[in-house]
Amino acid sequence: IKDLTTTLPLLNRYAKIYQLVEKEWFEEEWFWYTFCPIMFDSDLMAGTPEEVDGLLELTGLSHHSKILDLCCGFGRHSLEMAKRGLQVEGIDITESYINRARKNAKRQNLDCSFRLGDVRTMEYKEEFDAVVCMWNSFGYTEESDDDELILSKMRQALRPGGILLMDTPGKEVIASGFEANTWFERDDLKILLEYSIELNWTVLKNRWLFFKDTQMKEFQFSQRIYSALELAQMLYKQGFDDIDIWGSWQGDPYDDKAQRLIVIGKKLND
C-alpha cells in the first residue's frame, strides 16, 4: 500500500458499511421461531392478564389511553391491553411475530395495530399517553449508545405528561439468583444456557446451545444490565420525572425480594 492516509479512511468507511448491513443476533428469524415455545410457555402466557393488571394499577392509565408497546413480539401484552379497551400499537423487528400479532388482533376484532420496524429508527411524535417496554427487551444492541437513543425515541413518542414504563430484570435481581449454567429439555430439543458477568457487572453475556438429534445451533449475545438507580438516572437525563420503582406487578418494593425491576416515569414538558 503506497498511501495509507488515503487507503485507511476508505477501509474504515467500508467496514462501517459492512456493520450496517450485517444482522444483529435478534434479527435472526430462526432464533425466535425455535425459541418461542420455549420462552413463551403456558405458565408465562397464563400470567399475562396479571401483568397487564399491574401495569394499569401502577401507571394509573385509563382504559381509553393510547399505548405504544416497544419490542412487542407477537403481541402478548398488546392484545391483552386492547381487550381492556386501550388503543395499542406494537412495534417489533421480528416479521413472523408481527404477522402473528396482526392475525390475532384481526381474529379477535381488537383495536390494536402492529408495525414491523427497529425501535432505534422509529419517528413517533407526541402520539401516545404511555410507552411501555416490557419483559426484558432493553440493552441488547451492540452499541451502548443505543440505550440512550431508544429512551429519547420513547420520550419523543409521548405526549406531554405521558408515562414511560420499563420492565427488566435489574442488576440486583440478577445478582441475587445468578446461576452460570442451566439446561433443560422441551419436546425434541435440549437447551444449554451459559451466563457470565463482564465489565464490572455492566454486561450479562449469554451463550445458548440448542441440540436436536445430531444438530447443534449456537447463539451468543450480551445484554447491558442496569441497577434501579442507574436506570432511574437515565430516565432523569432524558427528561422524565416523578420516577417510581417497583419490584413486582403487585406493587411490592424493589428490595431483596424483588422479582423484576419496574421503573415508571412521567415526561416533563419541554
Side-chain angles (χ1 to χ4, degrees), residues 188-192 209-217:
D188 55 351
L189 274 176
K190 294 180 176 64
I191 302 100
L192 172 64
L209 302 174
F210 296 81
F211 299 90
K212 183 176 181 180
D213 300 326
T214 59
Q215 302 291 320
M216 190 272 282
K217 188 90 170 181

Side-chain angles (χ1 to χ4, degrees), residues 170-182:
K171 187 182 297 185
E172 301 90 344
V173 176
I174 294 171
S176 67
F178 183 75
E179 293 183 11
N181 301 284
T182 185

Side-chain angles (χ1 to χ4, degrees), residues 20-206:
L20 287 173
V21 299
E22 186 182 19
K23 283 187 176 182
E24 296 192 63
W25 71 269
F26 49 80
E27 298 178 89
E28 175 57 65
E29 282 278 348
W30 185 94
F31 175 85
W32 295 111
Y33 175 81
T34 304
F35 188 53
C36 187
I38 299 167
M39 174 65 80
F40 302 102
D41 60 16
S42 57
D43 289 340
L44 185 77
M45 295 300 294
T48 304
E50 183 179 358
E51 292 171 6
V52 173
D53 286 341
L55 182 153
L56 294 175
E57 182 68 26
L58 295 178
T59 59
L61 292 168
S62 74
H63 289 278
H64 300 289
S65 300
K66 187 175 181 181
I67 313 296
L68 176 62
D69 186 5
L70 260 65
C71 306
C72 65
F74 53 81
R76 182 166 77 95
H77 294 107
S78 299
L79 296 170
E80 183 64 30
M81 286 188 282
K83 290 177 183 178
R84 314 295 181 89
L86 286 84
Q87 302 175 56
V88 186
E89 179 163 341
I91 179 171
D92 199 276
I93 203 169
T94 305
E95 186 172 9
S96 60
Y97 279 12
I98 288 295
N99 290 338
R100 175 178 168 183
R102 287 170 175 165
K103 289 179 181 177
N104 284 332
K106 183 177 181 180
R107 178 173 57 83
Q108 299 177 55
N109 194 29
L110 295 173
D111 184 10
C112 194
S113 61
F114 294 94
R115 173 186 168 190
L116 179 65
D118 189 326
V119 297
R120 292 170 293 184
T121 59
M122 64 184 187
E123 292 295 339
Y124 298 105
K125 294 193 185 296
E126 298 189 352
E127 298 180 37
F128 299 93
D129 300 304
V131 177
V132 300
C133 184
M134 300 178 68
W135 209 66
N136 197 18
S137 300
F138 189 69
Y140 284 104
T141 61
E142 292 184 4
E143 299 295 329
S144 60
D145 291 346
D146 284 347
D147 294 347
E148 296 281 0
L149 171 64
I150 292 169
L151 287 174
S152 70
K153 294 285 187 179
M154 295 167 79
R155 185 183 188 279
Q156 179 179 291
L158 284 169
R159 295 166 179 157
I163 299 295
L164 169 65
L165 182 145
M166 302 286 295
D167 162 43
T168 184
K171 187 182 297 185
E172 301 90 344
V173 176
I174 294 171
S176 67
F178 183 75
E179 293 183 11
N181 301 284
T182 185
W183 75 276
F184 54 93
E185 296 185 45
R186 291 286 172 83
D187 298 327
D188 55 351
L189 274 176
K190 294 180 176 64
I191 302 100
L192 172 64
L193 309 180
E194 296 181 354
Y195 303 101
S196 60
I197 301 297
E198 297 185 348
L199 299 177
N200 303 314
W201 269 98
T202 60
V203 171
L204 176 65
K205 186 174 182 180
N206 297 253

